[in-house]
Amino acid sequence: MTETQEAIKAICEDVKALLCYRNQKYGDSALNPTRIFSKANAVEQLLVRIDDKLNRIQKGAGLLAEDEDVVMDLIGYLILLKIAFKRQEPKI
C-alpha cells in the first residue's frame, strides 16, 4: 500500500470506530429516531444535522483547521445518510 492508501485506511478506521462507539453509547437514534417532537424520517433528520454542521463551519472562521471533530462528525453523518438512503430503497 502507498502512504496515501495507508492514511485513507487509518482515517476510515477512525471514522468507523467513532460511529460504532456513538451507536453503542447513544443507541441507533440517527437511523431510528424516537420521533417525540419531530415526525421527520431518518433521512430528513440527518440532512438537518448535516445542515447544522455546515452552518457552523460557514460561520466559524478557521473552524475546519481548529476543530477536527466537526469534520469527523460531518463524515459520520454522510455515512449514516448513505445507510439511510440504502434502507429506503425499495426491496425487489
Side-chain angles (χ1 to χ4, degrees):
M1 265 194 220
T2 67
E3 184 179 335
T4 299
Q5 290 169 340
E6 288 291 340
I8 291 168
K9 183 178 174 184
I11 294 295
C12 287
E13 288 295 325
D14 289 346
V15 172
K16 180 176 86 171
L18 177 67
L19 286 172
C20 289
Y21 167 77
R22 287 185 176 167
N23 184 267
Q24 183 176 12
K25 186 174 180 179
Y26 302 114
D28 207 18
S29 63
L31 294 172
N32 293 305
T34 55
R35 294 184 179 86
I36 295 168
F37 292 107
S38 173
K39 303 303 178 201
N41 65 26
V43 168
E44 189 61 34
Q45 290 189 7
L46 284 164
L47 291 173
V48 169
R49 292 179 186 190
I50 292 167
D51 276 347
D52 182 53
K53 287 292 177 185
L54 292 173
N55 186 47
R56 290 181 195 176
I57 290 169
Q58 183 181 33
K59 291 194 185 293
L63 186 59
L64 285 175
E66 296 170 13
D67 191 357
E68 191 173 327
D69 287 344
V70 172
V71 175
M72 289 291 279
D73 286 346
L74 191 52
I75 293 167
Y77 285 140
L78 291 169
I79 290 170
L80 292 170
L81 182 62
K82 185 154 178 72
I83 294 167
F85 280 147
K86 192 169 190 97
R87 288 183 179 178
Q88 281 189 343
E89 290 176 1
K91 308 280 191 256
I92 300 177

